[in-house]
Amino acid sequence: MKRIGLTGGIASGKSTASAILRRFGAPIIDADAIAHRLMEPGGPLYEAYRAHFGAGVIRPDGQLDRRRIGRIAFADPAEKRWLDAAAHPVIRAAMQQELAEAEAAGEPVAVL
């Protein structure tokens, strides 16, 4: 299976390009979407962030306050390093799982 990496800065057209590729039938493995899913209540990143940052990062509706976490992480380089070290392996593993599923389904290509 061919793997295509789709990268670019903010507002560079990644979402537009992936939508076009999706219409042609390419499976899209979206790291941002995966990260958001893993941050849902009960997810591994939700639990890690709650344990590390405390109840102050949980909104009244039970969701993570991602903006608050961002403010904490980007204000303190040590917190940013912790966040990256906690998140990247979990997200990478989920992406690998989706790749394996696409390959098992016989997909000729996947876009990451």
Side-chain angles (χ1 to χ4, degrees):
M1 177 176 67
K2 290 190 184 273
R3 299 168 185 195
I4 299 171
L6 179 59
T7 66
I10 295 171
S12 64
K14 296 181 302 293
S15 295
T16 301
S18 64
I20 292 167
L21 292 167
R22 184 178 283 117
R23 277 185 289 206
F24 282 104
I28 307 298
I29 299 171
D30 184 332
D32 287 339
I34 290 169
H36 289 200
R37 186 178 74 236
L38 297 171
M39 286 187 273
E40 290 293 317
L45 292 180
Y46 180 94
E47 297 303 329
Y49 295 171
R50 184 180 53 78
H52 181 78
F53 295 114
V57 300
I58 307 298
R59 298 186 327 213
D61 66 0
Q63 297 290 319
L64 284 173
D65 187 338
R66 293 182 20 237
R67 286 188 181 182
R68 184 177 184 119
I69 292 169
R71 284 193 302 271
I72 293 167
F74 288 107
D76 182 343
E79 293 290 9
K80 174 73 167 70
R81 283 191 299 277
W82 180 90
L83 188 77
D84 289 344
H88 292 176
V90 176
I91 296 166
R92 195 172 304 116
M95 291 177 73
Q96 289 295 331
Q97 178 63 38
E98 289 193 21
L99 271 171
E101 291 169 7
E103 192 161 26
E107 296 290 350
V109 65
V111 179
L112 294 106

